Amino acid sequence: MKFITIFLTLISLAQAGEISLGWKTFNGKKDRIFIDEDGREVVLRGWSTTNAAKYVQPYNQLPFKDLEHAKKELLNLKKITGSNVIRWLFVWDALEPEMGKLNTEYLDQHLAMIKEAIKLDIQIIIDFHQDLFSRYIDPVGDGAPKWVVDGMDLPGKGCGKLIGPKICRAIWGANYIFNKDVKKALKMFWKNEDVRTPQGMIPIQSLFFDFSSRFLTYIKNNLTDEEFKNILGAEPFNEPHYGGAPKRWVTKKWVNNELWPFYKRFRNVMDDIGWSHKMILAEPHVMWASVNAWPLSYPTKLGHLKDIPTGNWVFSPHIYEETREVANLKQPRSGIFFEEYRQAREEARRLGMPTLVTEYGFFPVGKGKLQKRSKDYHRMKKAYYQAMEMTIPHKKSKWANFYAPQVHGTEYAWENFPDTTDPTRLMWGAVGHDEKSRAYPRATQGQLINFFYNDGLRSSYNQKLLEWVGLRPIANGKVHFSKKKFIFMVWKNNGVNAPTEIYLPRSLNLKKSLLLTDKETSKLHFSSLKGSTLSLQKDIGMTNPDMGGNILTIDDQSLGYHFALIVEYGEEDDFNQAELLRLREEISKSIKEQRSILYFVEKLRVEKP
């Protein structure tokens, strides 16, 4: 058996270029995928920009203090996480503070920062953000400018005397049910009612589309053609809600008659200004995938949209676990999100769209032992990505499915308030590096069949190793590596020439890592290798061996199935040639049989959404 060592080179990786949509099929299942200019399937993993862009303080509705701060934070983002996508938050009131006047000075500050992200080969999603419609309705809100709100003639009663502002502030989503101003504003928007403006009464969506057209045109005109390739698309409305009490028939009617027709009109705006090849990221009802969402809104779930659009569309739900943020004291366990993400994949397949979850995450703060158990950040983090990377045949299964479409995502949010210790401002960014540093298959030489990263996280509550998944190639055989960090990936080359790229996080010790593929075995050392299909390179923007993660490239142009297994080993481990040869044969046999070797060591606790 060939035993080699990989050479770490500082040669720059080629940028992915423009991302488009393609299809892949497996045993009758047809899924929409992202592909790069070389025809490789691409997985998008990244973060949303900071909440700072919503508020006047601390950075005057910018995500970073200034350009130098942006350069530093974007480099940190790339160095720590290897992200290849950012959801870039904008708010209407900062961009058009006066009717018809785009704030180009402010927008130029954003674009200078975006260009720094593009230099790091990060795809940009333009996020038209809103919460509770506008900060001029509620101080924790954001979105529409004052001149729009002033022309809506809202009642000014807020949540009223019975509910009161304290309850609406404590239970943020209650504003959608009880805040009379938020409810009226949303209903006026979805029904496209007239708003009083200096130019007379104008339908509110006409105002929004006019602004959006000028805004997106300015972005296109102020980026080079090469830079514009890294604009993935636009998300026209964050967390849409119809405003009112939860009723099934209301939700269904609103989805078909108001929400998606709005998206289609926005798609027309994009097409008219030269954005036709860019994605529109369409979010369903804000509570679409929420656990126990009924008190705030009836979730729409599967199959309610009747007139399905075609073209460059992306299904972009938000997935949060609200119950553990409030009252659920159960410890997060292996499998809790499988059903949630199964439904997201199923709906995306029905719609003919890829799934990119533009918000997910968990607040890493708790008081008392029970709350610490239920709010265990590492367990929650592990459960989210487990469900994004794997699928299961049923909730009692011991093995994952062989075929598992990856769910793309931008975690919420990359916070960077350097002058505060307030956990409500630090949010999910206020955690260590290991849990933010994850391997993922950035580009696949063909079609990705399955991918899983066993991250080696320990419980935030008691530091116990979370031993959830191992490799078991034989039904009654040995379970491998459940206590180790490992990466396992299977793909099928269907004629693509560009290599597979696997992002290896800096938390993975390459000096103690072994690579096993269907053809070669190697240790990931920093020493020379020439003439191999394997290479190890620094990620884009990383200028020395100590910065950031690495990219493992595997260039095997032979058609058919391939696999890669990377294991971080300890001093006590001794992998001999016979064991590795046997493991390769067992894995190859399982792939030929289209049988998964990903085995659940811990019993699954699949929770019902």
Side-chain angles (χ1 to χ4, degrees):
M1 179 170 57
K2 192 176 182 181
F3 195 87
I4 58 179
T5 307
I6 288 183
F7 173 58
L8 177 70
T9 175
L10 296 182
I11 298 173
S12 297
L13 288 167
Q15 294 201 336
E18 191 148 39
I19 302 298
S20 59
L21 294 182
W23 293 95
K24 69 176 178 181
T25 58
F26 180 84
N27 290 352
K29 296 178 180 178
K30 188 175 182 180
D31 291 300
R32 205 73 154 127
I33 58 174
F34 293 111
I35 57 175
D36 66 12
E37 291 179 344
D38 293 311
R40 297 178 296 182
E41 181 177 349
V42 171
V43 171
L44 296 172
R45 290 284 169 80
W47 290 71
S48 288
T49 50
T50 167
N51 277 299
K54 299 180 184 180
Y55 308 122
V56 175
Q57 297 296 331
Y59 303 141
N60 198 27
Q61 292 181 289
L62 287 166
F64 307 104
K65 183 178 181 180
D66 51 34
L67 185 57
E68 290 305 310
H69 184 210
K71 289 179 181 179
K72 178 183 175 182
E73 281 300 321
L74 290 168
L75 189 61
N76 280 337
L77 175 71
K78 191 72 170 182
K79 181 170 62 176
I80 295 168
T81 71
S83 295
N84 62 351
V85 63
I86 289 178
R87 179 177 179 244
W88 201 280
L89 191 154
F90 289 93
V91 286
W92 184 5
D93 82 271
L95 289 162
E96 193 183 24
E98 296 181 52
M99 182 179 178
K101 296 182 180 179
L102 198 63
N103 188 347
T104 56
E105 182 180 352
Y106 167 77
L107 183 49
D108 286 341
Q109 291 177 280
H110 270 285
L111 288 176
M113 297 175 182
I114 285 174
K115 290 184 179 196
E116 294 300 318
I118 291 173
K119 289 177 184 178
L120 298 171
D121 198 24
I122 295 174
Q123 295 285 317
I124 306 296
I125 298 167
I126 304 299
D127 169 25
F128 288 72
H129 210 85
Q130 74 80 42
D131 297 288
L132 309 183
F133 197 75
S134 175
R135 66 187 174 106
Y136 297 103
I137 296 177
D138 189 286
V140 300
D142 55 90
K146 186 175 186 299
W147 60 268
V148 171
V149 175
D150 287 346
M152 300 180 82
D153 295 325
L154 302 178
K157 295 183 179 180
C159 287
K161 294 182 180 180
L162 180 63
I163 302 298
K166 289 185 178 180
I167 292 178
C168 278
R169 189 61 54 84
I171 307 175
W172 181 85
N175 284 279
Y176 289 124
I177 311 302
F178 302 110
N179 190 317
K180 292 181 172 61
D181 303 306
V182 172
K183 289 166 60 178
K184 181 177 179 182
L186 288 170
K187 288 179 179 178
M188 287 182 68
F189 185 85
W190 297 122
K191 294 183 182 302
N192 196 22
E193 295 183 6
D194 287 350
V195 172
R196 189 179 65 257
T197 77
Q199 298 178 16
M201 302 297 288
I202 299 176
I204 188 170
Q205 288 189 18
S206 296
L207 296 171
F208 180 77
F209 292 140
D210 174 69
F211 149 71
S212 300
S213 176
R214 289 181 284 113
F215 169 45
L216 295 180
T217 297
Y218 191 89
I219 289 176
K220 184 177 187 297
N221 290 345
N222 287 274
L223 296 176
T224 67
D225 290 344
E226 283 300 309
E227 289 170 337
F228 191 56
K229 286 183 177 181
N230 277 64
I231 302 297
L232 183 71
E235 184 178 11
F237 203 97
N238 173 69
E239 297 190 345
H241 194 294
Y242 51 78
K247 296 178 181 178
R248 183 193 292 264
W249 69 269
V250 172
T251 303
K252 287 185 176 181
K253 184 178 179 181
W254 171 74
V255 165
N256 285 284
N257 296 346
E258 296 176 11
L259 177 61
W260 283 84
F262 161 76
Y263 286 148
K264 291 173 184 178
R265 289 193 290 271
F266 191 91
R267 174 78 264 179
N268 290 337
V269 170
M270 293 177 69
D271 295 347
D272 290 342
I273 60 171
W275 284 60
S276 59
H277 56 303
K278 300 299 182 180
M279 314 296 165
I280 176 170
L281 290 90
E283 184 181 351
H285 192 294
V286 58
M287 299 298 177
W288 184 89
S290 296
V291 176
N292 295 329
W294 179 84
L296 300 181
S297 178
Y298 198 93
T300 49
K301 290 302 178 187
L302 303 174
H304 289 170
L305 180 63
K306 297 176 182 178
D307 185 12
I308 299 173
T310 59
N312 291 319
W313 290 74
V314 178
F315 180 60
S316 298
H318 291 183
I319 297 181
Y320 286 116
E321 215 292 33
E322 286 85 355
T323 63
R324 284 184 173 84
E325 292 179 9
V326 184
N328 185 345
L329 299 180
K330 292 182 180 180
Q331 187 180 61
R333 304 293 291 273
S334 175
I336 61 172
F337 286 118
F338 273 134
E339 178 60 16
E340 202 91 33
Y341 278 87
R342 181 198 68 79
Q343 292 187 4
R345 287 182 176 95
E346 184 177 325
E347 180 71 351
R349 185 175 287 150
R350 190 186 75 88
L351 297 173
M353 304 176 189
T355 306
L356 197 162
V357 180
T358 46
E359 282 191 26
Y360 61 98
F362 191 74
F363 193 78
V365 176
K367 296 179 181 180
K369 289 185 177 181
L370 286 177
Q371 280 198 331
K372 284 183 179 179
R373 284 171 57 88
S374 65
K375 296 180 183 293
D376 191 318
Y377 178 74
H378 285 183
R379 283 182 171 273
M380 290 298 296
K381 182 90 169 185
K382 194 177 185 76
Y384 269 116
Y385 282 99
Q386 179 191 49
M388 292 173 76
E389 294 172 354
M390 309 169 80
T391 64
I392 55 174
H394 54 83
K395 65 180 181 180
K396 295 183 179 180
S397 178
K398 295 298 291 183
W399 272 269
N401 283 324
F402 178 69
Y403 175 65
Q406 296 289 294
V407 173
H408 313 267
T410 49
E411 190 168 349
Y412 197 82
W414 188 262
E415 297 291 14
N416 53 83
F417 297 97
D419 302 322
T420 181
T421 56
D422 180 355
T424 64
R425 302 302 297 276
L426 291 168
M427 302 278 288
W428 297 284
V431 293
H433 289 176
D434 277 2
E435 54 267 45
K436 292 189 288 188
S437 178
R438 295 190 59 84
Y440 70 97
R442 186 174 288 176
T444 299
Q445 192 171 28
Q447 296 182 344
L448 181 60
I449 303 300
N450 63 63
F451 176 91
F452 179 71
Y453 175 46
N454 200 48
D455 49 33
L457 286 180
R458 294 178 176 272
S459 166
S460 301
Y461 170 61
N462 58 15
Q463 298 304 305
K464 179 183 177 182
L465 179 67
L466 301 178
E467 189 181 354
W468 289 4
V469 178
L471 299 182
R472 197 174 194 178
I474 300 176
N476 296 316
K478 178 182 178 180
V479 177
H480 301 274
F481 313 130
S482 60
K483 298 180 186 296
K484 307 290 183 184
K485 288 183 182 178
F486 71 79
I487 299 164
F488 183 67
M489 175 178 175
V490 178
W491 69 98
K492 185 177 183 180
N493 191 343
N494 54 1
V496 175
N497 293 324
T500 289
E501 296 180 6
I502 305 173
Y503 174 75
L504 308 179
R506 68 179 189 172
S507 57
L508 186 72
N509 188 345
L510 298 186
K511 294 181 180 179
K512 295 183 178 180
S513 291
L514 176 78
L515 169 67
L516 181 70
T517 75
D518 47 292
K519 291 187 173 64
E520 297 180 298
T521 307
S522 68
K523 291 184 178 180
L524 299 180
H525 283 180
F526 301 144
S527 56
S528 62
L529 170 69
K530 295 181 180 180
S532 171
T533 61
L534 309 172
S535 67
L536 190 64
Q537 304 177 53
K538 295 305 299 179
D539 200 0
I540 290 174
M542 306 298 108
T543 56
N544 64 70
D546 298 322
M547 284 184 70
N550 302 284
I551 303 296
L552 172 66
T553 65
I554 305 176
D555 189 6
D556 189 338
Q557 298 186 20
S558 59
L559 301 180
Y561 286 105
H562 302 279
F563 78 84
L565 169 64
I566 301 162
V567 182
E568 183 183 275
Y569 56 86
E571 298 293 339
E572 72 282 2
D573 296 310
D574 181 22
F575 299 109
N576 62 55
Q577 298 283 350
E579 288 177 323
L580 294 174
L581 179 61
R582 182 167 57 251
L583 181 58
R584 174 185 290 145
E585 291 174 347
E586 291 171 352
I587 294 174
S588 297
K589 182 181 179 183
S590 72
I591 292 173
K592 185 177 181 180
E593 297 171 353
Q594 296 187 357
R595 173 174 51 83
S596 175
I597 67 170
L598 293 166
Y599 178 80
F600 297 108
V601 177
E602 180 177 303
K603 183 180 178 180
L604 294 179
R605 299 291 196 277
V606 179
E607 294 184 356
K608 184 178 180 180

